[in-house]
Amino acid sequence: MASIGEVVHKYIVGGLQLRCPSCEQGAMFDGFTMREKCPMCGVRFERRSGESVGGVMINLVVVELLFVVGFFTVDAITDIPPMYQLPFWLPFSILFPILFYRSSRGLWVTMTYLNGDLSKDPDETPPEVE
Ligand SMILES: [Zn+2]
Protein backbone atom coordinates (compact mmCIF):
# COMPACT_ATOMS: atom_id res chain seq x y z
CA MET A 1 0.00 0.00 0.00
CA ALA A 2 1.36 3.41 -1.00
CA SER A 3 2.11 5.96 1.68
CA ILE A 4 0.44 9.35 1.72
CA GLY A 5 3.71 10.96 0.64
CA GLU A 6 3.93 8.65 -2.37
CA VAL A 7 0.33 9.36 -3.36
CA VAL A 8 0.84 13.12 -2.97
CA HIS A 9 4.02 13.03 -5.02
CA LYS A 10 2.66 10.74 -7.70
CA TYR A 11 -0.69 12.42 -8.23
CA ILE A 12 -0.74 15.92 -6.80
CA VAL A 13 2.74 16.90 -7.96
CA GLY A 14 2.07 15.12 -11.26
CA GLY A 15 -1.12 17.14 -11.69
CA LEU A 16 0.72 20.37 -10.90
CA GLN A 17 3.39 19.38 -13.43
CA LEU A 18 0.64 18.87 -16.00
CA ARG A 19 1.44 15.19 -16.63
CA CYS A 20 -1.18 12.58 -17.44
CA PRO A 21 -2.13 10.85 -14.16
CA SER A 22 -2.69 7.56 -15.97
CA CYS A 23 0.68 7.06 -17.68
CA GLU A 24 2.61 9.86 -15.89
CA GLN A 25 4.31 10.76 -19.17
CA GLY A 26 1.91 12.49 -21.54
CA ALA A 27 1.62 16.27 -21.39
CA MET A 28 -1.88 17.50 -20.60
CA PHE A 29 -1.39 20.89 -22.22
CA ASP A 30 -0.21 22.19 -25.55
CA GLY A 31 0.72 25.74 -24.60
CA PHE A 32 -2.25 27.21 -22.74
CA THR A 33 -4.77 24.76 -24.24
CA MET A 34 -5.64 21.41 -22.67
CA ARG A 35 -5.26 18.47 -25.04
CA GLU A 36 -8.36 16.40 -25.69
CA LYS A 37 -6.48 13.12 -25.09
CA CYS A 38 -3.14 12.04 -23.65
CA PRO A 39 -0.60 11.83 -26.50
CA MET A 40 1.06 8.82 -24.85
CA CYS A 41 -1.73 6.55 -23.53
CA GLY A 42 -4.86 8.01 -25.16
CA VAL A 43 -7.05 8.65 -22.10
CA ARG A 44 -9.54 11.45 -22.62
CA PHE A 45 -8.84 14.22 -20.11
CA GLU A 46 -12.33 15.72 -20.10
CA ARG A 47 -15.15 13.48 -21.20
CA ARG A 48 -18.10 15.77 -20.61
CA SER A 49 -18.50 19.44 -21.42
CA GLY A 50 -18.26 21.62 -18.35
CA GLU A 51 -15.76 19.44 -16.51
CA SER A 52 -13.29 22.32 -16.56
CA VAL A 53 -15.50 24.04 -13.97
CA GLY A 54 -13.86 21.80 -11.34
CA GLY A 55 -10.48 23.29 -12.22
CA VAL A 56 -11.92 26.78 -12.04
CA MET A 57 -13.30 26.00 -8.58
CA ILE A 58 -9.89 24.74 -7.40
CA ASN A 59 -8.35 27.95 -8.76
CA LEU A 60 -10.95 30.12 -7.02
CA VAL A 61 -10.56 28.38 -3.66
CA VAL A 62 -6.74 28.54 -3.74
CA VAL A 63 -6.60 32.23 -4.70
CA GLU A 64 -9.17 33.20 -2.07
CA LEU A 65 -7.37 31.21 0.63
CA LEU A 66 -4.01 32.77 -0.26
CA PHE A 67 -5.56 36.24 -0.40
CA VAL A 68 -7.38 36.01 2.94
CA VAL A 69 -4.60 34.20 4.84
CA GLY A 70 -1.90 36.43 3.32
CA PHE A 71 -3.78 39.66 3.98
CA PHE A 72 -4.56 38.87 7.60
CA THR A 73 -1.10 37.45 8.27
CA VAL A 74 0.59 40.61 6.97
CA ASP A 75 -1.94 42.68 8.91
CA ALA A 76 -1.20 40.77 12.14
CA ILE A 77 2.60 40.80 12.00
CA THR A 78 3.24 44.26 10.52
CA ASP A 79 2.01 47.81 10.99
CA ILE A 80 1.21 48.20 7.27
CA PRO A 81 -2.29 49.74 6.98
CA PRO A 82 -4.75 47.69 4.89
CA MET A 83 -4.96 50.44 2.24
CA TYR A 84 -1.22 50.11 1.60
CA GLN A 85 -1.57 46.34 1.17
CA LEU A 86 -4.06 46.73 -1.67
CA PRO A 87 -1.46 47.61 -4.35
CA PHE A 88 -0.06 44.12 -3.78
CA TRP A 89 -3.16 42.03 -3.14
CA LEU A 90 -5.34 43.38 -5.97
CA PRO A 91 -2.86 42.53 -8.76
CA PHE A 92 -2.17 39.22 -6.98
CA SER A 93 -5.85 38.30 -7.08
CA ILE A 94 -5.91 39.00 -10.83
CA LEU A 95 -2.56 37.52 -11.91
CA PHE A 96 -2.45 34.41 -9.71
CA PRO A 97 -5.59 32.79 -11.22
CA ILE A 98 -4.14 33.29 -14.70
CA LEU A 99 -0.78 31.80 -13.75
CA PHE A 100 -2.42 28.94 -11.79
CA TYR A 101 -5.00 28.15 -14.50
CA ARG A 102 -3.24 25.18 -16.09
CA SER A 103 -2.16 23.67 -12.76
CA SER A 104 -5.69 23.89 -11.35
CA ARG A 105 -7.08 22.10 -14.41
CA GLY A 106 -4.28 19.52 -14.10
CA LEU A 107 -5.24 18.95 -10.47
CA TRP A 108 -8.87 18.51 -11.49
CA VAL A 109 -7.96 15.90 -14.11
CA THR A 110 -5.90 14.12 -11.43
CA MET A 111 -8.91 14.14 -9.09
CA THR A 112 -11.02 12.75 -11.93
CA TYR A 113 -8.45 9.98 -12.41
CA LEU A 114 -8.36 9.15 -8.69
CA ASN A 115 -12.16 8.99 -8.79
CA GLY A 116 -11.91 6.34 -11.53
CA ASP A 117 -13.56 8.53 -14.17
CA LEU A 118 -10.65 8.90 -16.59
CA SER A 119 -10.49 6.39 -19.43
CA LYS A 120 -9.92 5.84 -23.12
CA ASP A 121 -12.80 6.04 -25.54
CA PRO A 122 -14.47 2.59 -25.72
CA ASP A 123 -14.56 2.54 -29.53
CA GLU A 124 -11.04 3.85 -29.98
CA THR A 125 -8.91 1.91 -32.44
CA PRO A 126 -5.16 2.27 -32.75
CA PRO A 127 -4.04 4.65 -35.48
CA GLU A 128 -3.34 2.95 -38.82
CA VAL A 129 0.26 2.82 -39.90
CA GLU A 130 0.73 3.67 -43.56
ZN1 LIG B 1 -1.32 9.25 -20.48
Side-chain angles (χ1 to χ4, degrees), residues 25 37 51 59 64 68 96 103 112 114 120 122 124:
Q25 294 178 351
K37 297 177 182 178
E51 282 191 13
N59 203 335
E64 293 304 322
V68 169
F96 184 83
S103 296
T112 304
L114 292 173
K120 296 178 184 176
E124 186 171 335

Coordinates of all heavy atoms in Angstrom, one line a residue, residues 25 37 51 59 64 68 96 103 112 114 120 122 124:
Q25 N 3.4 10.3 -18.2 CA 4.3 10.8 -19.2 C 3.7 11.8 -20.1 O 4.4 12.7 -20.5 CB 4.8 9.6 -20.0 CG 5.6 8.6 -19.2 CD 6.1 7.4 -20.0 OE1 5.6 7.2 -21.2 NE2 6.9 6.6 -19.5
K37 N -6.9 14.4 -25.6 CA -6.5 13.1 -25.1 C -5.0 13.1 -24.8 O -4.3 14.0 -25.3 CB -6.7 12.1 -26.2 CG -8.1 11.9 -26.6 CD -8.2 10.9 -27.7 CE -9.7 10.7 -28.1 NZ -9.8 9.8 -29.3
E51 N -16.6 20.0 -17.6 CA -15.8 19.4 -16.5 C -14.7 20.4 -16.1 O -14.1 20.3 -15.0 CB -15.1 18.1 -17.0 CG -16.1 17.0 -16.9 CD -15.4 15.6 -17.1 OE1 -14.2 15.6 -17.0 OE2 -16.1 14.6 -17.3
N59 N -9.1 26.7 -8.6 CA -8.4 27.9 -8.8 C -9.0 29.0 -7.8 O -8.2 29.7 -7.1 CB -8.4 28.4 -10.2 CG -7.3 29.3 -10.6 OD1 -6.8 30.0 -9.8 ND2 -7.0 29.4 -11.9
E64 N -8.5 32.6 -3.2 CA -9.2 33.2 -2.1 C -8.5 32.9 -0.7 O -8.4 33.7 0.1 CB -10.7 32.8 -2.0 CG -11.4 33.4 -3.2 CD -11.4 34.9 -3.3 OE1 -11.4 35.6 -2.3 OE2 -11.3 35.3 -4.5
V68 N -6.9 35.8 1.6 CA -7.4 36.0 2.9 C -6.3 35.7 4.0 O -6.0 36.5 4.9 CB -8.7 35.2 3.2 CG1 -9.0 35.2 4.7 CG2 -9.8 35.7 2.4
F96 N -2.6 35.8 -10.2 CA -2.4 34.4 -9.7 C -3.4 33.4 -10.4 O -3.0 32.4 -10.8 CB -2.6 34.3 -8.2 CG -2.3 32.9 -7.7 CD1 -1.0 32.5 -7.4 CD2 -3.3 32.1 -7.5 CE1 -0.7 31.2 -7.0 CE2 -3.1 30.8 -7.0 CZ -1.8 30.4 -6.8
S103 N -2.4 24.6 -13.9 CA -2.2 23.7 -12.8 C -3.5 23.3 -12.1 O -3.6 22.1 -11.7 CB -1.2 24.3 -11.7 OG 0.0 24.5 -12.3
T112 N -10.1 13.6 -11.1 CA -11.0 12.8 -11.9 C -10.4 11.4 -12.1 O -11.2 10.4 -12.0 CB -11.2 13.4 -13.3 OG1 -11.7 14.7 -13.1 CG2 -12.2 12.6 -14.2
L114 N -8.3 9.8 -10.0 CA -8.4 9.2 -8.7 C -9.8 8.7 -8.4 O -10.0 7.7 -7.6 CB -7.8 10.1 -7.6 CG -6.4 10.4 -7.6 CD1 -6.0 11.4 -6.6 CD2 -5.5 9.1 -7.4
K120 N -10.0 5.7 -21.7 CA -9.9 5.8 -23.1 C -11.3 5.7 -23.7 O -12.2 5.2 -23.0 CB -9.1 4.7 -23.7 CG -7.6 4.8 -23.3 CD -6.8 3.6 -23.9 CE -5.4 3.6 -23.4 NZ -4.6 2.5 -23.9
P122 N -14.2 4.0 -25.6 CA -14.5 2.6 -25.7 C -14.3 2.1 -27.2 O -13.9 1.0 -27.4 CB -15.9 2.4 -25.2 CG -16.5 3.8 -25.2 CD -15.4 4.7 -25.1
E124 N -12.3 3.4 -29.4 CA -11.0 3.8 -30.0 C -10.2 2.7 -30.6 O -10.0 1.7 -30.0 CB -10.2 4.6 -28.9 CG -9.0 5.2 -29.5 CD -8.3 6.1 -28.4 OE1 -9.0 6.6 -27.5 OE2 -7.1 6.3 -28.6

